[in-house]
């Protein structure tokens, strides 16, 4: 056992709170021995208590949520991104199909009713025929709202039929190429993510073994 | 939070955090909860937060102190409760008279420590059990250094008196 000169003086300084960390460590080492003089009985008891307190360990992680939370976070982000892309793709595709369908006005809406639907009068027409202008202006607004709109009126939007591509087939090919690119990117990200998660799992296994 | 940093600097000090939480809350389940919550909090901290950390140990100990205080406030517990469930963890497990005596003395000394005022108890814990410098204790407990020194002096003096009294009582009864 390593002897410490002026032990009593050192212990007095310890109890007064005047020792350094180094001196306190030295005392702990000294009193970890079983063969301690009787005069230091109380101190020996105290330092053994400190030793046993230092040995107290956490019962161990009951769960490791920080790993699974992060894992599910990544999965969630990838799933959300994929869902968003899929939704955007579907929306884009269906929207394109809608505009590439033949114009509604070109098809007979009501075959049994052969009435020709007149296009709305232009401003020039109304200027040339002021009586018709007044007639339209006098129509009560409420009545106009109640009247069901004929389906053919959708044909009034010629601008909507115009898009980036004039040819629907070409647009479809372009969409497929874009989606294939996005898909390849997602697959690549997924592979990287899986590799990273595998690494985390390995570390988790090591940690569980070490506890 | 970077996994490497967590693995190297934070996870290894979990026992230290547990002992500190146990000293503060006086309850094993609550100390476990505190440690778990602190580890989660650190793990979920952003990169920006992590970059500003100078001492992971000090930061974790501060989080442990704050979380323990939250627990104490929410449960309205008295801090000087005996440590439940700790006595069974003493290393002396042999069923001998000496081991039993050691267990009794250890339990008694723990009780002495728990009976100290909160500040003295925490300063003594950080210094005598976790072997921290005055500067670290100052930072963790957020009190001036002179208060740290005074608290340690008073805590040790009180413990010494209690040990002497208990020893006299023990010798008188044998």
């Amino acid at each position: 056992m390593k002897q410490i000169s002026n032990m009593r003086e050192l212990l007095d300084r310890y109890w007064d709170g005047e020792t350094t960390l180094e001196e306190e460590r030295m005392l702990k080492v000294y009193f970890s021995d079983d063969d301690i003089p009787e005069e230091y009985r109380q101190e020996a008891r105290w330092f053994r208590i400190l030793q046993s307190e230092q040995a107290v360990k956490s019962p161990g992680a009951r769960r490791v949520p920080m790993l699974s939370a992060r894992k599910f976070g990544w999965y969630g982000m990838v799933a959300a991104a994929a869902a968003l892309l899929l939704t955007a793709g579907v929306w884009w595709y269906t929207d394109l199909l809608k505009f590439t369908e033949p114009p509604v006005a070109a098809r007979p809406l009501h075959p049994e009713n052969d009435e020709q639907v007149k296009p709305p009068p232009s401003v020039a027409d109304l200027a040339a025929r002021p009586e018709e202008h007044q007639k339209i202006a006098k129509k009560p607004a409420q009545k106009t709202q109640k009247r069901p709109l004929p389906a053919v009126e959708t044909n009034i939007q010629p601008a909507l039929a115009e898009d980036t591509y004039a040819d629907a087939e070409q647009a479809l090919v372009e969409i497929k190429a874009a989606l294939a690119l996005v898909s390849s990117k997602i697959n690549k990200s997924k592979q990287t993510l899986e590799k990273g998660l595998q690494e985390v799992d390995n570390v988790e296994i090591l940690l569980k073994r070490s506890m | 939070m970077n996994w490497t940093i967590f693995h190297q600097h934070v996870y290894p000090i979990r026992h230290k955090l547990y002992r500190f939480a146990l000293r503060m809350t006086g309850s094993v389940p609550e100390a476990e909860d505190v440690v778990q919550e602190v580890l989660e909090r650190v793990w979920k901290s952003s990169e920006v937060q992590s970059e500003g950390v100078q001492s992971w140990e000090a930061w974790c100990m501060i989080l442990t102190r704050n979380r323990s205080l939250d627990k104490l406030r929410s449960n309205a517990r008295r801090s000087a409760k005996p440590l439940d469930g700790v006595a069974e963890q003493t290393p002396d497990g042999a069923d001998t008279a000496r081991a039993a005596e050691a267990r009794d003395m250890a339990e008694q000394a723990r009780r002495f420590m728990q009976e100290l005022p909160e500040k003295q108890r925490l300063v003594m814990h950080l210094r005598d059990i976790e072997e921290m410098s005055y500067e670290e204790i100052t930072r963790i407990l957020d009190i001036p250094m002179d208060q740290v020194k005074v608290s340690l002096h008073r805590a040790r003096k009180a413990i010494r008196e209690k040990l002497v009294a208990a020893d006299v009582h023990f010798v008188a009864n044998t």
Side-chain angles (χ1 to χ4, degrees):
Chain A
M1 180 174 57
K2 187 183 173 185
Q3 292 298 322
I4 300 177
S5 58
N6 59 7
M7 172 60 85
R8 179 44 63 193
E9 184 259 333
L10 185 61
L11 282 173
D12 287 342
R13 284 203 295 116
Y14 170 80
W15 289 119
D16 287 340
E18 292 171 357
T19 39
T20 63
L21 269 178
E22 193 54 43
E23 288 170 330
E24 288 164 18
R25 285 186 190 123
M26 208 161 63
L27 285 170
K28 280 176 189 165
V29 171
Y30 176 82
F31 284 109
S32 64
D33 201 291
D34 282 340
D35 189 20
I36 301 295
E38 183 63 19
E39 59 178 311
Y40 302 134
R41 191 176 62 243
Q42 286 154 13
E43 282 84 3
R45 196 169 137 197
W46 173 243
F47 282 103
R48 280 187 198 129
I49 297 301
L50 292 182
Q51 266 189 324
S52 72
E53 289 293 296
Q54 284 178 317
V56 171
K57 287 186 175 178
S58 165
R62 289 165 294 169
R63 53 193 191 277
V64 193
M66 64 284 297
L67 298 178
S68 43
R70 179 56 64 101
K71 192 183 285 185
F72 283 119
W74 276 106
Y75 278 135
M77 278 191 280
V78 170
L84 194 66
L85 282 170
L86 192 65
T87 309
V90 168
W91 176 79
W92 191 16
Y93 185 69
T94 51
D95 218 35
L96 186 82
L97 282 181
K98 191 171 82 180
F99 291 131
T100 51
E101 281 178 358
V104 182
R107 291 174 287 160
L109 289 174
H110 304 286
E112 68 281 0
N113 185 0
D114 221 359
E115 187 189 347
Q116 284 291 324
V117 179
K118 292 178 184 175
S122 66
V123 177
D125 289 343
L126 291 175
R129 290 173 288 163
E131 69 283 359
E132 192 169 343
H133 183 202
Q134 286 169 2
K135 194 175 152 188
I136 291 171
K138 280 177 185 174
K139 278 185 181 176
Q142 199 177 0
K143 201 173 178 183
T144 311
Q145 284 176 355
K146 278 184 179 176
R147 190 184 64 174
L149 290 172
V152 75
E153 284 190 6
T154 52
N155 199 28
I156 297 172
Q157 307 165 356
L160 289 176
E162 293 175 9
D163 210 339
T164 313
Y165 297 97
D167 185 6
E169 290 296 327
Q170 190 193 349
L172 188 59
V173 169
E174 291 291 335
I175 289 170
K176 282 182 179 174
L179 287 175
L181 180 68
V182 171
S183 173
S184 70
K185 294 279 183 192
I186 290 177
N187 284 337
K188 195 176 173 185
S189 304
K190 194 182 162 192
Q191 283 170 1
T192 311
L193 181 69
E194 280 172 354
K195 200 175 166 186
L197 289 174
Q198 184 60 49
E199 198 177 330
V200 170
D201 286 342
N202 291 340
V203 176
E204 190 177 355
I205 291 165
L206 283 174
L207 282 175
K208 280 181 181 169
R209 279 181 192 163
S210 70
M211 283 191 302
Chain B
M1 160 59 69
N2 180 312
W3 174 247
T4 310
I5 292 176
F6 186 83
H7 184 56
Q8 287 180 350
H9 300 283
V10 180
Y11 197 69
I13 59 168
R14 64 192 185 283
H15 300 309
K16 192 175 274 196
L17 302 179
Y18 171 74
R19 286 192 293 268
F20 188 41
L22 186 60
R23 185 70 58 199
M24 287 194 74
T25 62
S27 157
V28 169
E30 288 195 354
E32 286 182 57
D33 284 346
V34 167
V35 173
Q36 191 71 30
E37 287 163 17
V38 168
L39 292 180
E40 281 188 35
R41 164 85 196 278
V42 174
W43 175 249
K44 289 174 183 172
S45 63
S46 66
E47 292 293 329
V48 178
Q49 276 180 304
S50 305
E51 281 172 9
V53 175
Q54 291 178 342
S55 164
W56 289 100
E57 187 176 303
W59 188 44
C60 291
M61 291 294 265
I62 291 169
L63 290 176
T64 304
R65 184 203 65 184
N66 293 343
R67 196 68 202 99
S68 300
L69 287 175
D70 289 345
K71 288 262 177 200
L72 287 171
R73 286 190 199 110
S74 64
N75 296 342
R77 282 177 181 272
R78 290 284 173 203
S79 56
K81 278 198 161 189
L83 297 177
D84 54 316
V86 183
E88 294 77 15
Q89 297 178 18
T90 49
D92 298 308
D95 189 17
T96 61
R98 194 181 165 196
E101 184 190 326
R103 273 202 302 273
D104 289 346
M105 287 195 303
E107 189 52 41
Q108 198 176 37
R110 280 195 196 95
R111 200 166 57 246
F112 292 160
M113 213 165 157
Q114 280 304 103
E115 285 168 0
L116 292 172
E118 187 183 24
K119 198 188 290 178
Q120 292 180 26
R121 190 174 74 247
L122 297 181
V123 168
M124 179 171 246
H125 176 89
L126 294 175
R127 179 69 179 193
D128 282 337
I129 296 172
E130 305 306 343
E131 300 183 355
M132 290 185 162
S133 67
Y134 290 134
E135 289 80 10
E136 287 172 312
I137 298 171
T138 298
R139 207 179 319 150
I140 290 167
L141 297 183
D142 195 23
I143 55 174
M145 193 178 290
D146 56 344
Q147 278 192 36
V148 171
K149 289 179 178 175
V150 168
S151 295
L152 184 66
H153 171 76
R154 287 179 182 164
R156 283 181 179 167
K157 191 179 168 196
I159 288 288
R160 188 183 196 183
E161 285 169 2
K162 286 172 189 283
L163 283 171
V164 170
D167 196 46
V168 169
H169 179 73
F170 178 76
V171 171
N173 285 346
T174 52

